[in-house]
């Protein structure tokens, strides 16, 4: 997995990220519903890519940081937004830093990891008690998923390696000390849930 993402993910470089202007614009609009979770708070984007959500959260007053295993994505983020902290390492290494956050944002990352354990251990370790974690990921139990799962566009290894429905996602997070705080409805087959660390 590290080899797949390390150097050539999305063709990014320190000076280039595909569709950067569009991603920045979408990041700004996407960040607005989270304003009361992130203003004047310590925030981590876990799987930050080129850092667009980090920059968007910082605009809302967050002390925002980003984490990703993609060296070229982090190189772009550090070049584009040098004032923010970006970490290029896997969840295990990041967990050893013993940093904690009030709000952790992780969009379309969980399905990319080969198993949930290390991701969840890190998420639990870095989210402060009473803090929040926003997770979005494909929803295998959504009515829009084809009856023949092989026809579902989200079945695309080696990028997508695991899938959840709402029930087993909630069970997984409960095992690591989280409860559902808010679930967002979606017409597309995707989970969008804010969990709270108990």
């Amino acid at each position: 997995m590290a080899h797949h993402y390390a150097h050539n993910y999305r063709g990014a470089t320190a000076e280039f990220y595909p569709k950067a202007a569009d991603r920045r614009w979408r990041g700004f609009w996407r960040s607005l519903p989270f304003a009361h979770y992130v203003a004047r708070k310590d925030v981590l984007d876990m799987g930050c890519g080129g850092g667009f959500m980090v920059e968007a959260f910082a605009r809302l007053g967050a002390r925002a940081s980003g984490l990703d295993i993609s060296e070229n994505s982090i190189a772009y983020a550090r070049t584009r937004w040098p004032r923010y902290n970006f970490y290029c390492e896997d969840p295990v290494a990041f967990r050893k830093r013993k940093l904690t956050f009030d709000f952790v944002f992780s969009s379309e990352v969980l399905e990319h990891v080969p198993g949930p354990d290390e991701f969840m251990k890190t998420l639990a370790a870095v989210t402060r008690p009473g803090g929040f974690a926003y997770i979005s990921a494909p929803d295998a139990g959504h009515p829009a998923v084809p009856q023949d799962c092989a026809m579902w566009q989200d079945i695309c290894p080696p990028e997508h390696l695991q899938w959840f429905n709402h029930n087993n996602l909630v069970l997984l997070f409960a095992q690591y000390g989280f409860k559902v705080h808010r679930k967002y409805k979606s017409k597309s087959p995707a989970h969008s849930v804010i969990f709270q660390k108990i």
Side-chain angles (χ1 to χ4, degrees):
M1 188 179 80
H3 176 74
H4 179 72
Y5 291 104
H7 302 291
N8 54 15
Y9 186 58
R10 292 185 169 155
T13 68
E15 293 78 31
F16 169 79
Y17 205 91
K19 302 180 182 177
D22 182 54
R23 290 177 191 277
R24 188 178 186 201
W25 182 248
R26 281 188 291 135
F28 169 73
W29 286 107
R30 192 172 185 195
S31 70
L32 295 179
F34 303 106
H36 67 285
Y37 292 101
V38 305
R40 297 183 297 281
K41 304 284 184 163
D42 295 312
V43 174
L44 175 68
D45 183 356
M46 197 168 166
C48 68
F52 301 98
M53 290 303 297
V54 171
E55 192 259 349
F57 289 140
R59 283 175 174 260
L60 297 175
R63 296 178 293 273
S65 301
L67 168 67
D68 206 292
I69 64 170
S70 171
E71 292 178 23
N72 56 346
S73 295
I74 290 294
Y76 176 86
R78 287 173 174 163
T79 300
R80 185 68 180 84
W81 295 290
R83 328 179 268 199
Y84 310 130
N85 294 319
F86 291 101
Y87 303 90
C88 185
E89 54 198 29
D90 64 48
V92 178
F94 186 73
R95 193 163 71 232
K96 292 176 182 176
R97 291 180 179 272
K98 301 189 183 301
L99 299 173
T100 59
F101 300 86
D102 302 296
F103 184 81
V104 179
F105 179 88
S106 187
S107 178
E108 300 173 29
V109 175
L110 185 58
E111 68 271 22
H112 290 260
V113 299
D117 189 54
E118 294 301 342
F119 176 92
M120 292 302 303
K121 282 181 180 177
T122 299
L123 184 65
V126 303
T127 307
R128 292 172 181 159
F132 299 94
Y134 170 83
I135 303 296
S136 68
D139 179 0
H142 194 280
V145 173
Q147 290 291 323
D148 179 359
C149 278
M151 302 301 294
W152 188 26
Q153 65 182 6
D154 278 300
I155 305 291
C156 54
E159 289 203 11
H160 291 186
L161 301 173
Q162 59 182 345
W163 299 267
F164 297 90
N165 61 37
H166 180 71
N167 291 338
N168 62 24
L169 187 72
V170 170
L171 287 171
L172 173 67
F173 274 75
Q175 290 173 9
Y176 290 88
F178 291 89
K179 65 179 182 179
V180 174
H181 174 70
R182 180 175 181 182
K183 181 185 176 191
Y184 296 86
K185 291 184 178 180
S186 175
K187 293 179 180 178
S188 64
H191 298 287
S192 294
V193 184
I194 294 180
F195 292 93
Q196 185 170 27
K197 178 78 177 296
I198 301 169

